[in-house]
Amino acid sequence: MAAITDEQVETVRALVASIPTGAVATYGDIADAAGLSSARIVGWIMRTDSSDLPWHRVITASGKPAPHLATRQLELLRSEGVLAADGRIVLREYRHSF
DNA sequence: CCCCTGACAGGCG
DNA sequence: ACGCCTGCCAGGG
């Protein structure tokens, strides 16, 4: 295992931190930009590594955060100017390109 | 070492 | 549009 290096984790955190206010990115985008083969790894990093990262700017490809965080996410994003339509973020509008 | 779980994604019915 | 299944990688029991 350990197919993932600390550098990869650093990259992921850097990418998440680089997401400007008012923008969002999907797990898949980050995984791809970080050179990871699976978007799930990104989720794993976010879950384990509770850093000062703006994790709320990371959403799923469906535009809907995980159920347990959805409420919090939407609220935080809302305060940043990212509005959700029917509990779903409009990726086409806020998706950040790396 | 096997099995389950998990901040996911894409395909299929 | 929604739910289920499969592929993916890593960690914990």
Side-chain angles (χ1 to χ4, degrees), chain A residues 30-80:
Chain A
I30 296 172
D32 184 67
L36 295 175
S37 34
S38 177
R40 207 166 237 187
I41 303 303
V42 179
W44 163 69
I45 295 173
M46 300 304 278
R47 188 198 72 186
T48 58
D49 199 335
S50 304
S51 306
D52 304 317
L53 298 173
W55 53 275
H56 52 276
R57 292 181 190 153
V58 183
I59 60 179
T60 68
S62 305
K64 289 171 58 75
H68 45 283
L69 299 174
T71 308
R72 192 157 167 84
Q73 286 302 61
L74 265 36
E75 191 176 331
L76 287 168
L77 290 172
R78 184 186 61 186
S79 64
E80 294 189 337

Side-chain angles (χ1 to χ4, degrees), chain A residues 7-9 11-13 15 28-37 42:
Chain A
E7 188 176 292
Q8 298 288 36
V9 178
T11 303
V12 172
R13 299 207 296 181
L15 288 168
D29 287 343
I30 296 172
D32 184 67
L36 295 175
S37 34
V42 179

